[in-house]
Amino acid sequence: LDLSQNRIEEWPEGLCALLVSLHTLLVNYNCLTALPEDMASLRALSHFDASNNQLATLPASLARLSSLGSLVLENNALVAVDARLGLLPLRTLLLAGNPLKQIRRPLLQPGATVSLLAYLRDRIPPDSDPLPPPRAAATEREGARRVEGRREGAPRAGERERERGRERAEPPVQHGRRD
């Protein structure tokens, strides 16, 4: 579905529910400032282009689009992205042209998708649910984790749990003689 270059300012309410089998959605070159919270209903979506809009935030539900292979969000007003986007099977993730201060510029260049996804995965908080089940829109907004940069030396997602598991699994080392 190509809705590009139509000066759309608001996402039509209920549109996602009508497009559950849609594979490609182009809404680039519009005037969108937000995407709907019910994006997760677009389960078959494999290519989404919302570049050249005025998006300042992304809905947390975007991280549940498990069929998404291409996500183009260039030239918007994004200051942060949900780190869980790094868990999607994306072949293309384009974020250049956004005021993302926490992501180094080389990671925003074309061809850096693999490195960008690894960067995002490393910033998923350890206590975060990687792909939360669908919830009410208000709950999603409150619970959305944004990439805000980890403290230097802070454990990456899963490291703390792996360490705890290792401690439980390894028997204590005994020194001295055995009789």
Side-chain angles (χ1 to χ4, degrees), residues 19-20 52 59 64 78 91 102 110 116 126 135 153-154 157 159-160:
L19 303 174
V20 294
N52 298 290
R64 286 197 309 269
L78 298 171
R91 292 178 307 284
Q102 76 277 16
L116 178 56
R135 304 180 213 156
E159 283 180 1
R160 201 175 292 149

Side-chain angles (χ1 to χ4, degrees), residues 63-76:
R64 286 197 309 269
L65 295 176
S66 59
S67 295
L68 202 57
S70 176
L71 179 58
V72 183
L73 298 167
E74 294 176 302
N75 302 316
N76 277 289

Side-chain angles (χ1 to χ4, degrees), residues 161-176:
E161 289 76 15
R162 283 192 294 275
E163 282 300 316
R164 285 185 196 133
R166 232 182 264 131
E167 289 169 4
R168 284 188 291 251
E170 294 175 2
V173 177
Q174 296 182 5
H175 298 285

Side-chain angles (χ1 to χ4, degrees), residues 52-64:
N52 298 290
N53 278 285
Q54 299 162 9
L55 300 173
T57 62
L58 297 173
S61 60
L62 196 60
R64 286 197 309 269

Side-chain angles (χ1 to χ4, degrees), residues 63-151:
R64 286 197 309 269
L65 295 176
S66 59
S67 295
L68 202 57
S70 176
L71 179 58
V72 183
L73 298 167
E74 294 176 302
N75 302 316
N76 277 289
L78 298 171
V79 295
V81 295
D82 190 329
R84 292 174 298 186
L85 290 177
L87 297 173
L88 292 175
L90 294 169
R91 292 178 307 284
T92 304
L93 175 58
L94 301 177
L95 297 171
N98 285 290
L100 295 163
K101 296 189 187 317
Q102 76 277 16
I103 300 177
R104 296 183 326 264
R105 291 289 159 210
L107 292 175
L108 300 176
Q109 300 304 315
T113 297
V114 172
S115 299
L116 178 56
L117 292 173
Y119 174 89
L120 291 173
R121 280 191 303 272
D122 285 347
R123 275 134 188 91
I124 297 172
D127 60 340
S128 154
D129 185 6
L131 292 174
R135 304 180 213 156
T139 305
E140 259 189 294
R141 280 192 298 273
E142 292 166 12
R145 301 278 185 186
R146 302 281 176 212
V147 175
E148 294 174 358
R150 285 186 304 114
R151 290 186 330 269

